[in-house]
Amino acid sequence: DTEDLHISNISNDADSLLKSLRQSKSSFDFKSNITKYAFLDEGKKVKIYIDLKGVGEQCANEDDIKLDWDESSLSLQVFNYNDVSDKETQADKVRCLSFGRLHGFILKATFKLKTDRIILVLFKKVEEGKDPEEWPAVAQKVED
């Protein structure tokens, strides 16, 4: 009988874990408020350039920039950034650039922090012996 009890506890734990996973917001669900960026397809990698004046000084702490990714999605969050040219921006506003579905699959994503910009580098997943697929855009087009 103790085995039955133990199994039901595991099942209750699984249920509560599933509930909490459903309730927690994925970082890919954040709405992008970084709307201007440039990107460059360099064959095996794609670079995304995000201009944010003074970001290198303001966001020098490791916790200020968070990059989450999986093979088909990407989310960049910038904390503690205050755009000096935008009078209406609050310093506590989180900047976000999020792609729920990238144009192709990636193996890895990294970022480089510069004085006035963040450069995201996405390493494409390429099948051995094949050329990397060209990305006409960062995000995959949603078909109706």
Side-chain angles (χ1 to χ4, degrees):
D1 280 327
T2 55
E3 284 177 32
D4 292 342
L5 181 63
H6 184 68
I7 290 169
S8 70
N9 282 344
I10 290 172
S11 133
N12 289 342
D13 290 346
D15 286 345
S16 66
L17 177 64
L18 285 172
K19 275 184 194 149
S20 71
L21 285 173
R22 274 190 222 112
Q23 290 168 352
S24 70
K25 199 171 189 178
S26 160
S27 58
F28 306 121
D29 293 341
F30 289 112
K31 182 138 176 67
S32 293
N33 55 22
I34 296 174
T35 54
K36 285 176 63 177
Y37 61 89
F39 84 100
L40 179 64
D41 186 334
E42 295 185 342
K44 290 188 177 185
K45 55 188 166 186
V46 172
K47 288 185 178 174
I48 303 171
Y49 299 89
I50 304 156
D51 289 334
L52 296 171
K53 189 155 181 58
V55 71
E57 274 182 29
Q58 293 183 44
C59 299
N61 290 333
E62 207 176 288
D63 304 355
D64 289 339
I65 298 176
K66 182 180 176 198
L67 178 61
D68 287 325
W69 61 274
D70 62 26
E71 69 174 10
S72 62
S73 309
L74 172 87
S75 175
L76 173 80
Q77 292 175 283
V78 182
F79 301 91
N80 303 316
Y81 174 73
N82 190 14
D83 186 347
V84 287
S85 64
D86 184 358
K87 302 287 181 245
E88 295 183 20
T89 304
Q90 301 86 19
D92 61 348
K93 179 180 174 184
V94 177
R95 303 299 170 110
C96 181
L97 178 63
S98 190
F99 298 101
R101 173 142 322 149
L102 294 167
H103 179 78
F105 294 114
I106 60 172
L107 290 173
K108 179 168 105 169
T110 62
F111 70 88
K112 294 177 188 168
L113 182 60
K114 302 288 186 181
T115 306
D116 292 321
R117 74 168 36 151
I118 297 171
I119 302 170
L120 297 177
V121 183
L122 314 183
F123 296 85
K124 295 179 187 176
K125 192 176 207 173
V126 181
E127 285 185 44
E128 205 169 314
K130 291 194 173 184
D131 289 331
E133 180 191 349
E134 191 172 316
W135 288 22
V138 178
Q140 189 176 76
K141 294 255 189 286
V142 179
E143 296 184 21
D144 298 329

